[in-house]
Amino acid sequence: MSERGAAGPGPAAIQVSRIMRPDDANIAGNVHGGTVLKMIEEAGAIISTRHCNSQAGEPCVAALARVERTDFLSPMCIGEVANVSAEITYTSKHSVEVQVNVLSENILTGAKKVTNKATLWYVPLSLKNVNKVVEVPPIQYARKEQEDEGRKRYEEQKLDRLETKQRNGDVIFPVINPDRQTKEPHTVGYSQSSLIHLVGPSDCTLLGFVHGGVTMKLMDEVAGIVAARHCKTNIVTASVDAINFHEKIKKGSVITISGRMTFTSNKSMEIEVFVDADPFVDEPQERYRAVSAFFTYVSLSKEGRPLPVPQLLTETEEEKRRFEEGKGRYLQTKAKRQAQMQRAAQQ
């Protein structure tokens, strides 16, 4: 792994590189989306923690609060090098926005391609008191417009996080070993899956709570299982909707990561993933919702070409409602992508 400095509007940007190994990928050789998300978060945590400790003040560690929608632009394979670059683009009084780009590099041919672009938000927590958010040193902007645009993004994500938290009372009952023979293929119940994980020291930051990248990797694993059970082909992560970290997860907690299919188009699947935490045995706190997100997957042939996705069969009114909501998100994203392509063609 390597790291180097670069020029940027705020503190020096950083780059982290690592070669992709067999245990980073699925059986088809495609690198797991969760592996890439974990690398993105590690780079973001390094640069934001470094910046928040750049001035005299209370020592702190940056904690991930939110990841904006992330698209997986092209698959990465075993043997390629992931080059992850991170740069701080905006700071508020108590938060840091980090822009991260990921390039895959074929070290045999030298060919490079952009695989991911992500925006992450961090908050600095005091080393002395994990519940205390400290102030963030401001950065210098090259232009006044950069600060105004950053402030607009800050207000938008703040509002979206609030709306997400308000609808976050939904429940997915853990399904560890369901009797799938009693369920109809391509239904929500057939592919629904859960994973239970005990949070250990290697999962945690200096403050004893889980790294955001560890959580995202587990979420991607569960979403991938749901997608694979639904279509029974090779699947890859296509995008991740905004991931909101509502509460910290402490060392010693038992977390349940649950995923269910919500929507299918002709060539994509949307999976809703929740992370619920049961605190350490000595703590009075009840189980709580820690993280939530929507993952989108596509099905690929052996040659890496998109395959049709079996239509999701909805059985209850709740499943039909979630399907229509997913359809709305799909159409909205499709319209945005088409508008971006039109603007790019006109330039």
Side-chain angles (χ1 to χ4, degrees):
M1 181 177 287
S2 66
E3 179 186 333
R4 64 178 178 79
I14 67 165
Q15 179 169 302
V16 178
S17 301
R18 182 166 74 78
I19 194 166
M20 296 293 98
R21 302 183 299 268
D23 58 349
D24 293 316
N26 61 19
I27 57 174
N30 301 123
V31 173
H32 291 295
T35 299
V36 179
L37 288 170
K38 190 170 184 287
M39 289 190 67
I40 287 172
E41 197 279 328
E42 287 171 351
I46 290 170
I47 195 170
S48 52
T49 298
R50 180 179 291 167
H51 173 68
C52 292
N53 289 282
S54 62
Q55 296 183 8
E58 199 167 342
C60 62
V61 170
L64 184 62
R66 175 180 168 90
V67 182
E68 301 292 354
R69 178 183 171 85
T70 305
D71 291 303
F72 289 75
L73 306 175
S74 61
M76 196 181 304
C77 300
I78 295 170
E80 293 183 331
V81 172
N83 297 299
V84 184
S85 58
E87 180 181 28
I88 292 177
T89 48
Y90 179 75
T91 57
S92 69
K93 186 176 181 181
H94 292 120
S95 66
V96 180
E97 180 193 55
V98 180
Q99 300 278 357
V100 181
N101 291 325
V102 183
L103 276 77
S104 65
E105 175 189 0
N106 185 319
I107 54 178
L108 299 179
T109 65
K112 295 181 180 180
K113 58 186 176 182
V114 177
T115 62
N116 294 81
K117 294 184 178 181
T119 302
L120 302 89
W121 294 89
Y122 289 83
V123 293
L125 304 179
S126 168
L127 278 178
K128 297 178 181 178
N129 179 2
V130 69
N131 296 314
K132 179 182 178 182
V133 179
V134 303
E135 290 193 16
V136 175
I139 63 171
Q140 297 297 317
Y141 301 94
R143 295 177 293 107
K144 180 66 167 58
E145 291 79 10
Q146 288 180 335
E147 183 176 9
D148 295 338
E149 291 166 0
R151 186 179 296 109
K152 182 180 178 181
R153 293 192 299 271
Y154 168 74
E155 294 298 336
E156 288 174 350
Q157 65 88 27
K158 190 175 179 181
L159 179 62
D160 190 71
R161 285 187 69 202
L162 181 62
E163 291 176 351
T164 303
K165 197 164 187 177
Q166 288 174 344
R167 68 170 175 79
N168 217 25
D170 205 356
V171 174
I172 301 180
F173 293 103
V175 179
I176 308 303
N177 293 306
D179 183 4
R180 300 190 191 280
Q181 293 181 346
T182 66
K183 300 181 185 300
E184 188 75 18
H186 308 140
T187 60
V188 175
Y190 183 83
S191 59
Q192 182 174 324
S193 305
S194 298
L195 182 153
I196 295 178
H197 179 75
L198 174 63
V199 176
S202 62
D203 298 322
C204 298
T205 67
L206 295 172
L207 289 174
F209 59 82
V210 179
H211 284 288
V214 170
T215 308
M216 291 191 292
K217 190 172 187 296
L218 291 169
M219 293 173 77
D220 181 73
E221 287 180 11
V222 170
I225 291 170
V226 174
R229 281 177 169 159
H230 180 76
C231 59
K232 299 188 182 300
T233 59
N234 176 37
I235 48 89
V236 294
T237 314
S239 65
V240 184
D241 214 14
I243 304 177
N244 291 287
F245 291 77
H246 308 291
E247 300 286 346
K248 296 185 291 295
I249 304 172
K250 294 182 181 179
K251 180 173 62 179
S253 298
V254 174
I255 56 175
T256 303
I257 307 98
S258 299
R260 64 185 171 202
M261 191 78 64
T262 50
F263 170 76
T264 55
S265 67
N266 291 334
K267 292 185 178 179
S268 67
M269 299 162 275
E270 182 191 71
I271 296 109
E272 185 175 28
V273 183
F274 290 150
V275 179
D276 293 317
D278 289 298
F280 193 67
V281 289
D282 291 336
E283 296 201 9
Q285 188 178 7
E286 298 291 330
R287 169 181 283 215
Y288 60 91
R289 176 64 42 78
V291 194
S292 60
F294 290 98
F295 285 68
T296 298
Y297 279 75
V298 293
S299 174
L300 298 179
S301 67
K302 293 180 179 179
E303 294 74 32
R305 296 191 182 93
L307 291 173
V309 170
Q311 183 73 12
L312 178 66
L313 302 178
T314 54
E315 299 176 296
T316 68
E317 290 303 316
E318 275 295 299
E319 290 173 0
K320 292 175 182 177
R321 177 185 62 80
R322 289 196 294 267
F323 186 93
E324 290 303 316
E325 290 175 351
K327 184 178 180 180
R329 287 187 290 271
Y330 168 77
L331 294 175
Q332 188 177 38
T333 300
K334 189 176 180 180
K336 285 182 179 178
R337 188 181 299 118
Q338 290 175 342
Q340 290 172 350
M341 293 173 64
Q342 289 176 353
R343 286 196 297 268
Q346 293 170 356
Q347 292 177 352

